[in-house]
Amino acid sequence: MNPFAKFAVLLTLPYIGVDGFSSTAVAPGSRQSNVAKNSLPDAKLIELAEDYVAGKNGFYAPVDRDAHADDFVFRGGVVGPLNKLDYCNTMTKLRIYEAFDLSPNAFGFCVDPDVSNTVRFYVRFTGRQVENWKVTGTPFDIPPSSENVVGPTESFCIQFNEEGKVKFFTISAPMLSGNPQQCTTGKYGAVLGLFVHAGMPTAADSALNKNVRDISNAVAGLLPEDVAPPKSKSNPDQIPSWYEEC
C-alpha cells in the first residue's frame, strides 16, 4: 500500500465527537407537529437507551448486531452516515472495549416530545487504558497510559423502531466548558478524544481533513474486509432510503 494511503487510514476513525456536523435526520413521518406518537412506553424507551449505550453500541463492550435495525444509520461529528454493516464492522475493528475499561456515566435521559421513539441523553466517559490499543487494518499498537481517561460531556440521540431496535444513532459536538473535571481528551470526544489521551493528537487533528477521510475510505473499500481499516462513511447507494440530511 502507498505509505501516504496507509497513514491516511489511521486518521479517519469513526464514532468521533468534534465541533461541526450534527445530524437532524429521522425516519419519514416520525416528526410530529406537536407531540410524537411513540409505539413504545417512555419507560421502555429509556430502558432500551440505557442498555444500548452501556453495552451494545461497540464502544464499551462488543457491538450487538442484533440490537440494530436492518435500516440502521449512524452519524457522528464528521463521520458517516454509516449503515448497519459498516458501523458494526467499524466498531469491531476499533477494538476500544478491548484496550479500555470505560464507563459512559450516562445521565439526563429523556424522551423527545417531537420525534417518535427517540431518547436524548448525555455521556461523560471515564476510565483507563488497560491493554495495548490495536486497530484492525492499521499498525496502531498503543501502550497503556498511567493517566485516567476523563472525557467531556457529549449529547447522544437514539431512535428506536417499533421492535425496540436502534434505527438511528447520532452524537453531537463535545461540550468543552462546564465539565466537572479537566478532560484528558483535548477538544475532542469519543474515539478522537481517546487518541489525544493516548498521546496521538496529530492523528485526531488529521481526521478532520476531508481529503484524508476520502482517501482512507477509498482504501478501506478496496481491501478484503478482514484486513481493511475502519470505514468513515458508507457508499451512498448503501445508505437506507429513509435517511436524509439537512
Side-chain angles (χ1 to χ4, degrees):
M1 184 188 302
N2 181 286
F4 174 74
K6 189 169 185 177
F7 176 71
V9 302
L10 310 182
L11 309 178
T12 61
L13 304 176
Y15 200 86
I16 65 178
V18 299
D19 290 326
F21 182 90
S22 180
S23 176
T24 57
V26 294
S30 63
R31 190 175 299 281
Q32 308 295 322
S33 58
N34 293 304
V35 179
K37 296 179 180 179
N38 297 326
S39 62
L40 298 170
D42 286 7
K44 182 61 176 179
L45 289 170
I46 290 177
E47 177 186 342
L48 288 169
E50 290 175 335
D51 190 37
Y52 179 76
V53 70
K56 295 185 176 182
N57 64 58
F59 200 83
Y60 305 97
V63 66
D64 183 344
R65 294 175 185 263
D66 290 339
H68 299 79
D70 290 340
D71 58 349
F72 167 86
V73 173
F74 168 80
R75 188 54 155 110
V78 295
V79 168
L82 288 168
N83 61 29
K84 176 180 178 177
L85 177 63
D86 290 337
Y87 175 80
C88 291
N89 286 345
T90 286
M91 296 310 296
T92 299
K93 292 178 180 185
L94 288 174
R95 303 166 71 177
I96 298 166
Y97 56 86
E98 293 181 3
F100 294 86
D101 180 12
L102 299 173
S103 172
N105 303 312
F107 65 98
F109 289 85
C110 64
V111 176
D112 193 308
D114 299 316
V115 186
S116 65
N117 289 351
T118 296
V119 178
R120 299 181 184 274
F121 57 96
Y122 299 95
V123 163
R124 190 186 291 142
F125 65 73
T126 56
R128 61 193 182 95
Q129 186 178 349
V130 294
E131 300 288 347
N132 281 28
W133 187 10
K134 301 177 181 180
V135 179
T136 300
T138 80
F140 276 141
D141 190 356
I142 307 171
S145 165
S146 60
E147 184 181 20
N148 287 337
V149 179
V150 179
T153 305
E154 301 175 80
S155 61
F156 282 45
C157 172
I158 303 174
Q159 185 177 37
F160 297 93
N161 66 13
E162 294 183 355
E163 299 175 349
K165 294 191 175 187
V166 179
K167 183 184 183 76
F168 182 52
F169 178 33
T170 185
I171 61 176
S172 65
M175 301 175 190
L176 303 181
S177 300
N179 292 296
Q181 302 181 66
Q182 181 66 39
C183 298
T184 64
T185 56
K187 62 183 179 181
Y188 302 109
V191 175
L192 292 193
L194 292 178
F195 273 106
V196 172
H197 173 86
M200 301 189 67
T202 301
D205 291 339
S206 298
L208 302 187
N209 187 310
K210 183 178 182 300
N211 291 331
V212 173
R213 295 198 305 273
D214 288 346
I215 290 173
S216 68
N217 209 49
V219 171
L222 293 174
L223 296 175
E225 185 60 44
D226 60 339
V227 297
K231 282 189 175 182
S232 61
K233 186 177 183 179
S234 295
N235 294 335
D237 61 350
Q238 296 176 347
I239 299 297
S241 60
W242 69 261
Y243 180 83
E244 59 182 22
E245 296 181 355
C246 293

